[in-house]
Amino acid sequence: MSWFDRLRRGLGKTREVLTTDVRDLATGANVDWEELEFSLVAADVGAGIAADVVEEAKRERESGTSVREALEAALLDQLEPDRRRQTLRRVGFDLDVARHRVEPAGKVVMVVGVNGVGKTTTIAKLGRYYQEAGKSVAFAAGDTFRAAGSAQLGVWGERLGIPTHVGPDGGDPGAVAYDAAAARAARGHDLLIIDTAGRLHTQHNLMEELKKVKRVIGKADEGEPKDVWLVLDAVTGQNGLQQARRFHDAVGLTGVIVTKLDGSAKGGVLLPIVRELGVPIKFIGVGESAEDLQPYDAAAFVRALLGGDADAA
Ligand SMILES: Nc1nc2c(ncn2[C@@H]2O[C@H](COP(=O)(O)OP(=O)(O)OP(=O)(O)O)[C@@H](O)[C@H]2O)c(=O)[nH]1
Ligand SMILES: [Mg+2]
């Protein structure tokens, strides 16, 4: 199965919310814009943005484009304002080119998110992704709250041949992160990916702890982590946005990874993430296998969301 087919399959549930309308749109001269707006809201695009998308699509339509193209343009405008025009005007745009590589800004990536969103499995997938790109990768199991969490990452590391720094159960996550960051610098690994807890067993505030972990990494390896990526579960929809804001305020996010898009009809939540959070989406998870973590590409996302073939213009 091609990566685009995986993407399309993964977005199936969200597409169901939109499909009927889009199919009508493609054929009918009478566009029920209100119905379309409603279905966008149902996909968790958010009421304000849904209204904007419909307005923009109507405007596009006036310049003679098909309804489908107009909607594609309006969605892309929200998801990737900069690249939209040139992408759209290129007939049959090349999706292989669209699948760009995602490069971390530095040598250490800290991964954060509430419990159960998919942090640890996403880290395993990222490890594989960067390994395949020829990088030497190391992991750090900074989730010392869940003993099984450290073991889980360790198992992944073993399977992938990625050295995994694991601290003592219930130990200080800052100490784990410090040791791992120092070891990375000493051994010259290209990339260290640090897992963190999604929940704490103490009254201690998770955000305070994450701030500390971040600070401590910088002591072991100056200027790092240059990346802090938040993992968000698509199933939480608009609530995820609230989470994202809190993490962003605390540790300054440089990227977002949206997982479980395959289990959710709320794929529309990507629009408010891009527009309201202003943090780029780096990867999306559309299934449980390693190939189902894909670099985020707005044009491919929109195309997969609205159905049709990869090269349907
Ligand atoms: N369907 C689907 N499942 C996913 C995806 N990403 C992760 N999962 C699943 O989500 C579940 C939780 O994943 P974990 O990686 O353990 O989540 P976590 O955030 O590390 O959880 P804690 O360590 O408890 O905070 C696992 O069963 C994963 O296989 C995805 O894109 N799609
Ligand atoms: Mg975990």
Side-chain angles (χ1 to χ4, degrees):
M1 196 191 281
S2 78
W3 73 269
F4 183 77
D5 288 333
R6 285 178 177 281
L7 175 63
R8 186 164 41 191
R9 185 196 56 188
L11 294 175
K13 286 200 178 161
T14 303
R15 195 167 52 244
E16 270 171 34
V17 178
L18 298 171
T19 305
T20 326
D21 310 282
V22 174
R23 224 182 276 134
D24 294 349
L25 285 173
T27 53
N30 294 329
V31 184
D32 190 342
W33 293 110
E34 212 170 300
E35 184 67 26
L36 173 63
E37 188 173 331
F38 185 78
S39 73
L40 287 170
V41 173
D44 257 31
V45 163
I49 295 179
D52 288 355
V53 166
V54 167
E55 278 316 303
E56 174 70 16
K58 281 183 189 168
R59 252 197 313 276
E60 282 286 327
R61 184 95 173 87
E62 277 162 20
S63 62
T65 48
S66 74
V67 180
R68 192 204 149 97
E69 278 174 333
L71 181 58
E72 213 173 274
L75 287 170
L76 210 46
D77 204 27
Q78 298 286 335
L79 286 165
E80 200 175 32
D82 302 339
R83 249 193 49 190
R84 180 204 142 187
R85 294 285 164 185
Q86 64 264 36
T87 308
L88 270 180
R89 299 298 175 241
R90 213 163 68 217
V91 179
F93 93 113
D94 185 351
L95 280 165
D96 283 332
V97 174
R99 202 194 192 195
H100 60 288
R101 294 213 69 87
V102 178
E103 292 297 335
K107 305 276 189 188
V108 181
V109 177
M110 181 175 160
V111 176
V112 300
V114 302
N115 63 295
V117 290
K119 289 183 299 298
T120 306
T121 41
T122 296
I123 287 170
K125 291 174 187 175
L126 288 172
R128 208 185 97 140
Y129 176 81
Y130 286 114
Q131 229 178 9
E132 280 177 357
K135 289 185 197 293
S136 59
V137 183
F139 288 153
D143 179 5
T144 55
F145 166 62
R146 240 168 41 90
S150 296
Q152 185 190 355
L153 190 62
V155 169
W156 275 115
E158 218 158 280
R159 211 180 285 170
L160 296 165
I162 292 177
T164 305
H165 195 94
V166 179
D169 280 358
D172 174 15
V176 175
Y178 183 91
D179 289 349
R184 188 222 61 82
R187 290 176 200 150
H189 285 124
D190 297 322
L191 186 65
L192 169 67
I193 310 176
I194 302 184
D195 197 5
T196 61
R199 182 181 24 170
L200 303 175
H201 51 325
T202 60
Q203 289 298 319
H204 196 70
N205 184 294
L206 176 63
M207 298 304 158
E208 289 309 312
E209 176 165 300
L210 293 176
K211 279 189 209 170
K212 185 181 152 202
V213 169
K214 190 183 174 192
R215 228 170 22 239
V216 155
I217 295 168
K219 284 187 185 152
D221 196 353
E222 211 189 318
E224 298 289 354
K226 291 205 173 59
D227 272 307
V228 181
W229 291 348
L230 173 76
V231 179
L232 267 187
D233 179 341
V235 179
T236 55
Q238 292 267 322
N239 291 335
L241 207 61
Q242 283 300 111
Q243 280 172 33
R245 284 203 191 93
R246 289 183 58 219
F247 280 98
H248 194 35
D249 288 346
V251 285
L253 303 174
T254 62
V256 175
I257 298 173
V258 184
T259 57
K260 309 189 196 181
L261 276 163
D262 54 305
S264 167
K266 297 174 174 176
V269 74
L270 265 71
L271 278 75
I273 290 173
V274 170
R275 184 155 120 179
E276 287 168 29
L277 200 64
V279 174
I281 296 169
K282 298 285 183 183
F283 292 89
I284 56 177
V286 291
E288 291 197 85
S289 83
E291 299 76 36
D292 291 328
L293 184 76
Q294 302 197 349
Y296 168 69
D297 180 89
F301 178 82
V302 168
R303 198 144 293 179
L305 196 61
L306 297 184
D309 298 326
D311 53 1

